[in-house]
Amino acid sequence: MNFAFVSSNPALDLAGTVWSRRDDPIDLLAAPADLERWVAECDELPDRVTADFATFESALSLREGIYRLALDRMLDRPFDPDSLDIVNHTAAGPVPTITLSDAGLHRSGDLRATLSYLARSGIAVLADPHACLKECGRTGCTRIYLDRSRGARRTWCGMDACGNRVKAAAYRARRRASTTAERRVPEKTA
């Protein structure tokens, strides 16, 4: 399964690795190798990390903590203390090394440093009073994203997956309604 990086924040993208949380959850990070692949595909993270079972479990705890805190923020309720502890503890860890070259910015570090970076990224967006967090408008999608659109009018987590599905479903519904209405109108005879 392909990962989507559409939340405008890597911590929110990590939280988005569980699809349809309320209906029929699908966890895209079922094994340490999935986490390694997710990290490698995320542009802001080191490209080569290895995950043992303990760091994999830490990543899943961080993911759930970030999701819970983002949901708390969206619903304007106090942050869950256990989730705060997880995110703050993880953020206190080492950070990736950053180097600049003619090829651009390069980050390196182990998975623990990567998780610390993700926790700090989550803290930055959750602490920003001007950050507009939203849940995707497609029924069944529970991805939380940072809406940076003009006027905060973004509706879906991303066009490729959710936006196109919603638009296609609306188009099909209009077509069905039009076809049904045409069948009901009796033809005039001369």
Side-chain angles (χ1 to χ4, degrees), residues 162-182:
C162 293
N164 287 340
R165 285 183 184 178
V166 171
K167 288 182 173 195
Y171 173 77
R172 286 190 302 271
R174 285 191 307 272
R175 293 276 314 232
R176 277 192 304 271
S178 174
T179 303
T180 303
E182 287 173 5

Side-chain angles (χ1 to χ4, degrees), residues 48-165:
R48 291 186 183 103
V49 299
T50 57
D52 59 21
F53 189 73
T55 52
F56 176 68
E57 289 294 318
S58 295
L60 297 183
S61 294
L62 176 63
R63 175 185 68 184
E64 296 311 308
I66 289 168
Y67 178 78
R68 176 67 190 265
L69 295 177
L71 198 57
D72 290 343
R73 167 80 191 285
M74 279 180 21
L75 298 173
D76 197 29
R77 62 187 183 200
F79 285 136
D80 173 64
D82 292 336
S83 297
L84 277 175
D85 286 344
I86 290 167
V87 172
N88 287 332
H89 176 76
T90 305
V95 294
T97 301
I98 299 173
T99 56
L100 179 65
S101 70
D102 290 333
L105 184 69
H106 179 75
R107 290 181 178 87
S108 59
D110 62 6
L111 184 55
R112 192 165 166 246
T114 300
L115 295 179
S116 177
Y117 178 83
L118 287 165
R120 290 168 186 228
S121 179
I123 288 170
V125 74
L126 293 169
D128 182 352
H130 304 293
C132 181
L133 296 179
K134 291 183 178 178
E135 185 177 75
C136 183
R138 183 177 68 82
T139 303
C141 183
T142 54
R143 180 183 295 274
I144 296 174
Y145 63 91
L146 178 59
D147 185 355
R148 292 184 174 151
S149 67
R150 176 180 256 174
R153 296 184 346 207
R154 185 172 157 189
T155 305
W156 306 290
C157 62
M159 277 305 293
D160 288 344
C162 293
N164 287 340
R165 285 183 184 178

Side-chain angles (χ1 to χ4, degrees), residues 1-5 16-17 19 28 37-38 41 143:
M1 184 153 304
N2 293 329
F3 299 114
F5 298 93
T17 59
W19 289 358
L28 302 180
R37 193 167 53 86
W38 183 86
E41 290 181 23
R143 180 183 295 274

